[in-house]
Amino acid sequence: MHLTVVGTGYVGLVSGACFAEMGNQVTCVDVDQNKIAGLNQGILPIYEPGLEAIVQRNFKEERLTFTTSLADTMESSKLFFIAVGTPPGEDGSADLRYVLAVAREIGNLLTDYAIIVDKSTVPVGTADLVRDAIQEELDKRQVKINFDVVSNPEFLKEGAAIDDFMKPDRIVIGTESPRAQDLMRQLYAPFNRNHERTIFMRVRDAEMTKYAANSMLATKISFINEISNLCELMDVDVENVRRGIGSDGRIGFSFIYPGCGYGGSCFPKDVQALIRMAGDVDYVPEVLLSVEKRNQQQKRWFSRQLEKRFGTDLSGLTFGVWGLSFKPGTDDMREAPAKVLLADLLSAGAKALVYDPIAMDTAQQELPSEWFESGDVKLVSNQYEALQQVDGLLLVTEWKPFRNPDLAAMSRSMREKIIFDGRNQYEPDYIRNEGFEYYGVGRLV
Ligand SMILES: NC(=O)c1ccc[n+]([C@@H]2O[C@H](COP(=O)([O-])OP(=O)(O)OC[C@H]3O[C@@H](n4cnc5c(N)ncnc54)[C@H](O)[C@@H]3O)[C@@H](O)[C@H]2O)c1
């Protein structure tokens, strides 16, 4: 099958590469010329385990091509996936500018029946807007061409994206067109070999399913964070509570790890967008509002601990920061708790030595350049260098090399042997027995 994926970011590149891996002929389109030029030389714009090999293999075997020109693919493709970003607008609603720009471009170029698939996360009703935008362009050209707009939200997780795409829990397809349903069924057949995973539904239902899924996961995180805050105040160890509730099959162990808040390009913006959608139908989403608020507050967990330990003025102090990406396995720093932490450290007068196994380049681009120029934030090349003469370690992202660190080397490097563990990676008693002062989220002091 020939298909086109517009938008070559995390979702577009992974989807395009995985569809090509199944034998399809895939063209990935992006407006970012540098990204496309890099991909044409085998250079990936993002870090995602396993992706490079699949991209390079399919590129070499000419099943996967990259271009900045959508026009190049119009003749051969029947399927157009829209996988561009839908960042939050100023009011929190999903900004559909990129999605609708692609829709208009498709309308402007369409020559034959095609299926346009919304893979980006888009609010309920967006497929109608995409349809209208395409139709408007066709009307301007005074041509009559049939097309269908389908919703096919993506559920991959950064850091495990290839596995998630190849072996999805479910494939949600929203369409009311039998023709589109047949083609989508055929496209996804190789991903359903083991058992049927596709759930067909109406377009609007599919659009809502994606927001409901992310909001549910965000709710679990904010819920356990709330419990952990109560534990800190009530002399209770949240780790025991976590194990105690997770063993209940109705609750489960996933997504109930307390921590310093969720980040990334999805949960924060999708919860906010669903809150906006609720507002549009005059409904007050009390649960979602609290989920969002709790998360904002949770990103300040480190600052609260530092204030309790050192007071509000941190001038003269330097902290080692382990982890910048919003979670392990990715270089993505969008909405990462580390950004809030660094801003808080600097505004309290402290300095930071920072290390992340993968996200150092992203940090150079995403953090304010004046932080580096002033010397207040210094990126270092290994985790122990980030501890040289520091007044404490702040563990933000639970990368594997941070799990069982060399405590003796840490002892030698750190001025003050204090660990603030924002992801509860360590057993407090063990760490304390090694002579460290230890603070974990919801753990006994
Ligand atoms: N990142 C994730 O883990 C994830 C998971 C599921 C769903 N999603 C959703 O998928 C969508 C894409 O997310 P992402 O993280 O891949 O975004 P991204 O920012 O990594 O990539 C988007 C790409 O679209 C390109 N683009 C913008 N306008 C374009 C245009 N007119 N024509 C061609 N290309 C254009 C950009 O240059 C960029 O490369 C979002 O709606 C997101 O919510 C993301």
Side-chain angles (χ1 to χ4, degrees), residues 6-12 29-32 35 46 83-86 98 101-102 105 119-122 154-158 210 265-266 269-270 332 334:
V6 189
T8 312
Y10 285 89
V11 167
V29 183
D30 205 288
V31 284
D32 185 331
K35 214 175 246 193
I46 52 166
V84 297
T86 46
Y98 307 106
V102 176
E105 208 182 341
K119 200 162 225 354
S120 299
T121 303
V122 288
E154 182 49 57
F155 296 96
L156 62 76
K157 298 184 287 296
E158 284 175 25
K210 175 66 192 176
S265 65
C266 294
K269 88 169 166 62
D270 292 350
D332 198 338
R334 289 178 278 189

Side-chain angles (χ1 to χ4, degrees), residues 296-313:
Q296 296 293 348
Q297 290 167 357
Q298 200 66 16
K299 286 185 177 177
R300 300 225 126 84
W301 180 82
F302 285 107
S303 309
R304 287 197 297 276
Q305 302 303 316
L306 289 168
E307 189 177 330
K308 269 193 252 166
R309 179 62 179 73
F310 296 101
T312 48
D313 182 7

